[in-house]
Amino acid sequence: MRHWASLLGILALLLANPATAEENPSGLPELTPEELEKYAFDIEEDPPVVGDLSVGQRYVLSSQRREVADLVARRLGVLSLKGDKRDLTTLQSVVDKDLIRQGEVREWQGLGVVFGDILVREMNLHWISYEDDVGVSKALRWRDTENYVFPVTMFSKRVQFNEDIDVFAIYAKIEEDVERFKEFERNRPQFDR
């Protein structure tokens, strides 16, 4: 649907200016930088569907938490995770000691779940189900705003693209972002809410 709307917009530009087709053999309209800056692309996006986690999603999160707890108990001797910022050191140890191999996506995502639990506790976020045109994800949300954090894939994506993982730096960046959108929501005029 979106692509048809864009194609119809281009066709309308060509019909509005037939000289463009003669001057431009590709048939595509040529816009000046000023015209391009002001051009309104007709892109329709369905809003995401946000709701409570399903029973299945809650089960997956619980099993991933147990797997990470088992890993840190067996390999690091950490018998229980605290669920707060103190666990960041443990998560960084998992990364630094290469306790999860690169291709173990579920395990990396489990680490993201435990990291998400820290964000829930420390930043007053809550787990939700987030569905958009890409699919269904488990995410964190602050109150009933449109502010989301996606911790489950936070580490697996970095591993996929061979990026370094600094758990403390990632936490600090998210904390800064969350504070920014909390401040925005506090200062937003009442009629916008």
Side-chain angles (χ1 to χ4, degrees), residues 126-143:
H126 63 275
W127 285 102
I128 52 100
S129 176
Y130 181 98
E131 182 177 2
D132 60 10
D133 58 343
V134 177
V136 180
S137 302
K138 293 170 284 295
L140 300 177
R141 183 181 196 184
W142 185 66
R143 296 189 180 168

Side-chain angles (χ1 to χ4, degrees), residues 39 49 121 131 159 173:
Y39 185 76
V49 177
R121 187 164 194 185
E131 182 177 2
V159 169
K173 173 71 171 110

Side-chain angles (χ1 to χ4, degrees):
M1 184 70 152
R2 287 182 226 162
H3 302 292
W4 284 108
S6 295
L7 290 173
L8 289 173
I10 292 171
L11 183 58
L13 281 174
L14 285 173
L15 293 174
N17 188 359
T20 305
E22 294 170 12
E23 297 168 7
N24 183 356
S26 71
L28 297 174
E30 290 184 20
L31 301 175
T32 66
E34 295 79 26
E35 291 172 322
L36 184 59
E37 209 172 284
K38 295 175 185 173
Y39 185 76
F41 291 93
D42 188 18
I43 299 175
E44 296 176 23
E45 287 190 25
D46 295 328
V49 177
V50 178
D52 293 333
L53 293 174
S54 69
V55 171
Q57 289 173 315
R58 288 193 307 266
Y59 176 79
V60 168
L61 290 177
S62 293
S63 64
Q64 288 180 298
R65 289 178 186 113
R66 282 191 304 274
E67 290 168 12
V68 171
D70 182 54
L71 174 71
V72 299
R74 284 184 296 109
R75 301 294 304 277
L76 297 175
V78 176
L79 299 180
S80 68
L81 295 168
K82 314 292 184 272
D84 59 26
K85 285 196 318 190
R86 294 176 288 177
D87 289 339
L88 295 177
T89 301
T90 302
L91 299 185
Q92 189 65 55
S93 292
V94 169
V95 172
D96 293 344
K97 295 178 186 282
D98 295 322
L99 300 184
I100 302 174
R101 290 187 293 257
Q102 185 171 1
E104 296 177 323
V105 175
R106 178 176 166 82
E107 290 78 0
W108 282 111
Q109 290 183 353
L111 206 65
V113 169
V114 171
F115 184 75
D117 289 340
I118 295 168
L119 300 176
V120 165
R121 187 164 194 185
E122 298 291 339
M123 299 180 197
N124 198 25
L125 304 174
H126 63 275
W127 285 102
I128 52 100
S129 176
Y130 181 98
E131 182 177 2
D132 60 10
D133 58 343
V134 177
V136 180
S137 302
K138 293 170 284 295
L140 300 177
R141 183 181 196 184
W142 185 66
R143 296 189 180 168
D144 287 330
T145 67
E146 299 303 310
N147 298 291
Y148 306 98
V149 178
F150 297 86
V152 177
T153 56
M154 200 160 285
F155 300 123
S156 62
K157 292 288 186 193
R158 283 174 170 78
V159 169
Q160 179 183 355
F161 294 105
N162 294 315
E163 295 177 21
D164 291 333
I165 297 175
D166 181 340
V167 175
F168 294 96
I170 295 168
Y171 179 87
K173 173 71 171 110
I174 293 171
E175 185 175 43
E176 180 182 305
D177 291 344
V178 168
E179 285 306 315
R180 191 175 310 118
F181 62 66
K182 284 180 179 181
E183 184 66 26
F184 173 79
E185 291 296 332
R186 281 191 290 268
N187 294 326
R188 202 167 74 163
Q190 199 68 328
F191 56 85
D192 283 352
R193 296 180 190 182

